[in-house]
Each structure stands twice: as structure tokens, then as C-alpha cells.
Amino acid sequence: MRRRHLLQALPGCALLPALSTLSNGSARAATASAPAGWPQRPVTWILSQPPGSGPDNVARLLTERLARHWGQAVVVDNKPGGQNTIGAQAAARLAPDGHGFYFATTAALVTNPLLFKSLPYDPQRDFTPVAFVARSPFAVLVAGDSPVRTLDELIARAKARGGALALGNEGPRTFSGMIARLLNARSGMNANLVPYASVGVGTQDLMGGHVDAMVADLAATAALARQGRLRVLATTAGRRVAGWESVSTLAERWPGLEMVGWFALVAPAGSPTAVIERVNRDVQALQGDAELATRIAAIGPLVEPGLDLAQTAAVLQTERQRWTALAREIGVLPE
């Protein structure tokens, strides 16, 4: 999950080219230095998720501490909807003055371009990487009273039922939907993929016996799993997840397979270089706070070791390549 061996190799990776051109083709030059006395007014973090969501809770833990350190309020501005497009577009339009950032998810920065023919923002041209924050694995789950206890048993059961096994997910244009399709492709289980509007509705149906299994965000289902109402068969992390060491990973069956969500902080293209460097250093310092990391882990995501700007940019590029290859494997086409 942590893939520390990869991260340790990242310092030698080159920083990606500056992302300072807007999606409409107009140039926005990066400022060489931060405005005097930055921050001069409250700083805004736009989120594409609603208040109370996992990303929102993580962002607020970070912004509370940064506000105290910077001596200015850090305002979390929630703009959910449109599969992250509403928030991402708003963030791309922020003035590049070092007072606005986007707390982005994998979907907003990496997978949306694979799923949509057109977007009102360009994930690479409209944003500059600032800090990589945390990873959030997904899980393959069954009801707590299910006779299925391992991933191998689920696959065998699906094959024996000839496609009749129902595998819940959040739809074909979502993370869990893509993972469910990949699970079908790699295992040959040919499960019937059942889309749900939300994890909550899906897990209720799973516990009620209306579907046989489900792919969902581990953070969103961890409480029910710890209560014994759900059983985690496997996670989608590259290595076993802290706190879930007894649970196998898909990578143990298919080496190299890793499909996890993550959070990264980015800034509008053209934001002051000195501000970006300052924010990266300050976020790295927070990531070294054991108490904060524990609080974030209680929400679900696991904090990454602090990455500098070059490492952050390299990770985002690696993730684009990873998800592009996986989308090609399962035949995902933008719509």
C-alpha cells in the first residue's frame, strides 16, 4: 500500500514541465517569488466533495493546522457534483496569486480524462502539483454472514454460478466500477456488475443479501467491517494496508496490480513558485506528525511520507500512466 520502495526511488525523477497554460490556450506565466508577507489574506482550498466526506475531513485536519502556522484562515470551499468537474473547473479559474488551491482526488486529476470526451478543465495544463497527501485503497467485500471468506472462494463461486453472481459498484464511470471490471477481466469470474448511486445504498443491499459482493472505498466501509457486518476479502493496494494486515491484496494474486484513490494538493497554473515551495514544505512537515497521521488513518486514508515537488509531480505522472494502461485493458472509452 505504501510502496515506500518506489517512493524512495523518486528523488531522482525529474520534475514535470511547468504546467502554466490554461485549457483555453492562453498563457499564464508563473510568478518567480511569493508576494511579500504571504499569505496576505485567507487562503482557499476548493474541494469537489461535500462537507463530511472523507476528503473533506482530511482537508480540514490539514487546514486547521496550516491556518495556525500561517496566521491566516484557510477556508475549505466545497463544490461537489459532476464527478468532480464542478470543483475542478472552479479551482482552475482561481486567480494564480498563491491564495487558492485545489485539494484534488485521483478522479479529478487522472481518471476523468479517461472517462469523458470533454472536460471544462485540463488536469495537466490548468494545475501545478503542490503536495501529495495520502492514499485511500478500495476493497472487495461481502456481507459479514456470507459463507465466502476469501477472494479465491468468491471467484470460484462466481464461475460456478455462470455469471449470476452480483457484484455491486458505483457505476462504470467510477473507481469502483473500473475495479469491478478489471476484477472480472483478470479472474474470468464474469460477475454481473450492479451499479449503485452511492456506497451507502450499495452496502445496505449487500448486507441485505440483494448482491453477493461489492467493490467500495475501504474508508467508507471500514466501520461496518470492524463491526462484523461486512467482511473485507481483499484490498486494491500494492501491499497490505496498515490496520488490515490480515487482509490480502489483489497484487498478491496479480503482481503489480494497484488501484487506489489518493489526495493531492494542486494550485492554479501560474501560481507563485515560492508559495508552492512553501506550501509543499509545510504539508511535508504535517505529514511527519504522528498524531495527525493517526487521525487521518482513523478516517481511512493513509498519509504518504512527505514528497517534494519533483517527487509529487513524478507520482502524478506515474498514476496517469498506470490508470491509462488499466483503462485500456478493460476497454474503457471516454463518453
Side-chain angles (χ1 to χ4, degrees), residues 14 25 32 40 42 49 75 128 144 167 175 240 257 264 281 296 300 303:
Q40 299 167 317
Q49 294 76 33
V75 180
T128 297
L167 180 61
F175 256 34
R240 297 206 177 192
L257 177 61
R281 291 194 301 270
I296 292 176
V303 172

Side-chain angles (χ1 to χ4, degrees), residues 114 168 275 294:
L114 304 173
V275 169
T294 299

Side-chain angles (χ1 to χ4, degrees), residues 33-83:
S33 60
W38 180 90
Q40 299 167 317
R41 60 180 185 277
V43 175
T44 297
W45 282 24
I46 288 181
L47 268 72
S48 301
Q49 294 76 33
S53 62
D56 177 78
N57 291 334
V58 173
R60 290 177 189 276
L61 287 175
L62 295 172
T63 55
E64 286 172 8
R65 286 160 175 75
L66 290 172
R68 292 198 295 267
H69 183 58
W70 293 341
Q72 283 282 2
V74 183
V75 180
V76 175
D77 186 2
N78 302 93
K79 295 184 181 296
Q83 291 192 220

Side-chain angles (χ1 to χ4, degrees), residues 2-294:
R2 300 299 76 211
R3 300 192 70 81
R4 293 181 187 271
H5 59 289
L6 171 62
L7 295 174
Q8 289 166 354
L10 287 176
C13 297
L15 180 62
L16 297 181
L19 309 177
S20 58
T21 306
L22 290 173
S23 56
N24 62 9
S26 62
R28 189 154 68 177
T31 305
S33 60
W38 180 90
Q40 299 167 317
R41 60 180 185 277
V43 175
T44 297
W45 282 24
I46 288 181
L47 268 72
S48 301
Q49 294 76 33
S53 62
D56 177 78
N57 291 334
V58 173
R60 290 177 189 276
L61 287 175
L62 295 172
T63 55
E64 286 172 8
R65 286 160 175 75
L66 290 172
R68 292 198 295 267
H69 183 58
W70 293 341
Q72 283 282 2
V74 183
V75 180
V76 175
D77 186 2
N78 302 93
K79 295 184 181 296
Q83 291 192 220
N84 293 278
T85 59
I86 294 174
Q89 182 181 28
R93 292 176 174 175
L94 287 169
D97 59 8
H99 291 84
F101 296 87
Y102 181 34
F103 192 70
T105 62
T106 324
L109 296 183
V110 172
T111 59
N112 271 358
L114 304 173
L115 300 171
F116 295 89
K117 286 185 177 180
S118 63
L119 290 170
Y121 68 98
D122 186 304
Q124 295 190 62
R125 290 189 297 170
D126 287 352
F127 299 111
T128 297
V130 177
F132 194 85
V133 177
R135 293 184 189 263
S136 184
F138 280 67
V140 182
L141 308 113
V142 293
D145 58 359
S146 170
V148 175
R149 307 196 71 84
T150 68
L151 180 63
D152 285 344
E153 289 180 9
L154 179 68
I155 293 171
R157 189 180 183 89
K159 290 180 177 179
R161 295 175 62 177
L165 185 139
L167 180 61
N169 61 88
E170 291 179 89
R173 295 159 70 84
T174 66
F175 256 34
S176 62
M178 293 177 71
I179 293 168
R181 290 175 65 176
L182 186 69
L183 185 58
N184 259 352
R186 291 281 179 103
S187 68
M189 62 191 290
N190 195 31
N192 176 31
L193 304 185
V194 181
Y196 283 95
S198 70
V199 172
V201 175
T203 52
Q204 289 300 315
D205 265 13
L206 179 59
M207 292 185 292
H210 301 293
V211 290
D212 301 286
M214 187 165 183
V215 177
D217 183 356
L218 180 60
T221 54
L224 291 172
R226 291 192 175 105
Q227 293 167 12
R229 300 175 68 187
L230 295 177
R231 178 181 301 133
V232 182
L233 302 183
T235 72
T236 64
R239 62 198 321 179
R240 297 206 177 192
V241 178
W244 302 89
E245 289 85 357
S246 64
V247 178
S248 66
T249 69
L250 297 186
E252 291 174 32
R253 185 181 180 97
W254 297 289
L257 177 61
E258 180 177 10
M259 298 180 79
V260 300
W262 40 257
F263 308 140
L265 189 67
V266 297
S271 294
T273 301
V275 169
I276 291 171
E277 292 172 345
R278 165 75 183 277
V279 175
N280 175 271
R281 291 194 301 270
D282 290 347
V283 171
Q284 283 193 63
L286 289 180
Q287 290 170 313
D289 183 329
E291 186 269 340
L292 178 62
T294 299

